[in-house]
């Protein structure tokens, strides 16, 4: 699958509008996973954070050409590894975005950068996911703090992948 095409011309020559197919495919896959998991209401801030976090993970973990054989078990395992709680996800995202920018960018990169900026700059009041005393202790839903959207979206993406 080509990462971008024009309105029927099959390429970007001729000055046509570039379509960010790789990003659109990643966002579609993320939406399918989140809807199937049914953990939060579609359209909510939490859902949007999970959608953008998972779409970024799918897009940046794959080849710039787009998700070939997206549901292969090795691909899902890779997404689970990147979204795991103990992984440094924000530095990974920044590194991958910089690598893609150095390779030439494109309309997919512009949408990925916008998603990352929204996840980083939007703050959501939610349960303190880091306030647990151990991995087995429950999250106190009454203890709410302001979190960057990615801190809520990433665990939602990870859990949704597990429930797929």
């Amino acid at each position: 699958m080509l990462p971008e095409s024009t309105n029927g011309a099959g390429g970007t020559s001729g000055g046509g509008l570039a379509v960010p197919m790789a990003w659109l495919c990643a966002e579609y896959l993320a939406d399918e996973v989140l809807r199937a998991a049914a953990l939060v209401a579609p359209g909510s801030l939490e859902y949007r954070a999970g959608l953008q976090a998972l779409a970024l993970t799918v897009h940046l973990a794959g080849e710039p050409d787009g998700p070939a054989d997206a549901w292969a078990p090795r691909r899902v395992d890779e997404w689970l590894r990147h979204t795991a709680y103990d992984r440094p996800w924000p530095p990974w995202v920044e590194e991958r975005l910089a690598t893609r920018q150095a390779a030439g960018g494109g309309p997919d990169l512009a949408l990925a950068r916008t998603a990352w900026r929204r996840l980083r700059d939007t703050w959501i009041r939610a349960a303190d996911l880091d306030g647990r005393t151990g991995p087995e202790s429950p999250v106190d839903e009454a203890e709410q703090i302001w979190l960057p959207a990615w801190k809520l979206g990433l665990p939602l993406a990870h859990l949704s992948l597990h429930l797929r």
Side-chain angles (χ1 to χ4, degrees), residues 34-35 39-52 124 152 156:
L34 288 169
R35 284 183 188 275
L39 295 172
V40 293
S44 66
L45 282 174
E46 295 86 353
Y47 184 86
R48 191 69 189 153
L51 177 73
Q52 289 178 340
I124 300 172
L152 185 61
L156 178 60

Side-chain angles (χ1 to χ4, degrees), residues 12-154:
T12 56
S13 61
L17 176 65
V19 179
M21 289 306 295
W23 176 259
L24 294 175
C25 288
E27 204 169 45
Y28 173 79
L29 288 170
D31 187 56
E32 287 287 309
V33 169
L34 288 169
R35 284 183 188 275
L39 295 172
V40 293
S44 66
L45 282 174
E46 295 86 353
Y47 184 86
R48 191 69 189 153
L51 177 73
Q52 289 178 340
L54 187 52
L56 263 175
T57 302
V58 168
H59 181 66
L60 295 176
E63 295 300 316
D65 293 347
D69 197 18
W71 290 116
R74 67 176 178 75
R75 296 291 308 270
V76 176
D77 288 344
E78 182 181 8
W79 301 337
L80 284 166
R81 278 193 313 277
H82 286 300
T83 59
Y85 178 74
D86 61 345
R87 299 289 299 210
W89 191 75
W92 176 79
V93 168
E94 302 247 347
E95 174 190 318
R96 299 295 293 211
L97 288 172
T99 301
R100 299 269 173 103
Q101 181 67 44
D108 293 304
L109 180 64
L111 289 173
R113 282 194 173 287
T114 299
W116 173 235
R117 188 175 51 253
R118 285 181 183 153
L119 284 169
R120 187 190 59 219
D121 296 346
T122 301
W123 289 70
I124 300 172
R125 188 150 171 82
D128 184 4
L129 301 176
D130 291 329
R132 303 178 299 163
T133 56
E136 298 298 321
S137 64
V139 172
D140 183 1
E141 297 279 335
E143 286 292 319
Q144 294 202 341
I145 62 170
W146 288 99
L147 299 168
W150 72 264
K151 277 199 158 193
L152 185 61
L154 195 61

